[in-house]
Amino acid sequence: MARLKTAVLFSGRGSNLRALIAACAAPGFPAEIILAVSNQIGAPGLDYAAQAGIPARTVPHRDFKTREEFEQALDKILRASGVELICLAGFMRVLNKGFVEAWRGKLINIHPSLLPDFPGLDTHRRALEAHKSRAGCSVHFVSPEVDAGPLIVQASVPVLPGDDEHKLAARVLIAEHQAYPLALKLIAEGHVKLAGNQALIDGKPGPLQLNPAAT
Ligand code: GRF
């Protein structure tokens, strides 16, 4: 069966890009990464794409006068490549409603909190300040409202005594690297449907909860 043609958009470190590349390299995985796009020149994640022989593009947002022009350029590149699904992985640009709606159901993101808790930035600090006993990550369809789209997969980890932001972030990141490939696999195999404001996984309301064995 044809593999789902996937693009990964990122801005920096690229560890989720790396995890998705690794997953796609496994025999029989139902998706392939055909394009990696960074909006930051020299983003470390570009090296992962190069090492894997994946075409990579840098589209610096600063080269465009408006957000719309930047997004039009992105859209053109993605469509020219025949991309069927876009994975945002640490892509630090908010996308306008026009782009989001044009790719509705084909645009997903990973966020480092158990949404609807802590949309936006500084999620780990805020989880610690709120004395949460668990933290985690969410893979969701992107909707025009930031970090609020239908949830596909969540993975949770414990918040442990002595945690600081960095320790918690590192624990959540391991969960991210499991949750994102799982979400990609579920979508590529046709298990996920977008029904209004909800993701259905094999007909059941999402998110699918993944609790890594290590926790
Ligand atoms: C991850 O924590 C992801 O959840 C968030 O941005 C971070 C990106 O990390 N959206 P990396 O670039 O994938 O290592």
Side-chain angles (χ1 to χ4, degrees):
M1 213 173 99
R3 296 193 290 162
L4 187 72
K5 293 186 177 62
T6 304
V8 180
L9 272 52
F10 66 102
S11 299
R13 180 176 60 180
S15 72
N16 278 288
L17 167 65
R18 184 181 53 185
L20 291 169
I21 290 173
C24 288
F29 196 84
E32 61 178 329
I33 298 174
I34 61 160
L35 183 65
V37 182
S38 167
N39 66 310
Q40 293 287 358
I41 296 165
L46 288 164
D47 293 340
Y48 298 130
Q51 282 158 19
I54 291 167
R57 296 283 300 264
T58 302
V59 185
H61 60 277
R62 289 178 206 288
D63 287 0
F64 299 88
K65 278 202 240 48
T66 64
R67 202 180 280 273
E68 286 75 13
E69 284 174 33
F70 168 62
E71 289 172 7
Q72 276 161 18
L74 275 183
D75 187 82
K76 202 171 160 192
I77 290 167
L78 292 161
R79 293 195 188 279
S81 302
V83 165
E84 298 168 300
L85 180 77
I86 304 170
C87 295
L88 305 181
F91 186 66
M92 301 305 284
R93 303 300 298 167
V94 172
L95 293 164
N96 273 321
K97 198 172 173 193
F99 185 95
V100 169
E101 286 185 346
W103 288 92
R104 188 179 146 76
K106 296 174 181 169
L107 177 61
I108 64 174
N109 179 46
I110 187 158
H111 181 75
S113 79
L114 296 172
L115 292 169
D117 282 354
F118 315 125
L121 299 175
D122 297 325
T123 54
H124 305 303
R125 180 175 58 70
R126 289 155 66 205
L128 289 169
E129 283 172 3
H131 303 290
K132 292 282 181 183
S133 60
R134 296 193 74 82
C137 65
S138 307
V139 182
H140 63 93
F141 284 109
V142 176
S143 62
E145 198 188 335
V146 174
D147 300 331
L151 297 170
I152 305 164
V153 172
Q154 283 188 324
S156 80
V157 300
V159 179
L160 299 176
D163 267 354
D164 58 19
E165 260 182 78
H166 301 290
K167 286 183 189 161
L168 183 56
R171 194 173 309 120
V172 171
L173 195 62
I174 293 169
E176 292 188 38
H177 297 161
Q178 298 173 335
Y180 218 171
L182 173 64
L184 177 57
K185 182 173 189 282
L186 290 171
I187 291 170
E189 287 177 346
H191 294 287
V192 182
K193 297 276 167 283
L194 182 57
N197 285 335
Q198 207 161 45
L200 300 178
I201 294 106
D202 290 329
K204 295 192 204 91
L208 188 147
Q209 298 286 349
L210 169 76
N211 291 309
T215 63

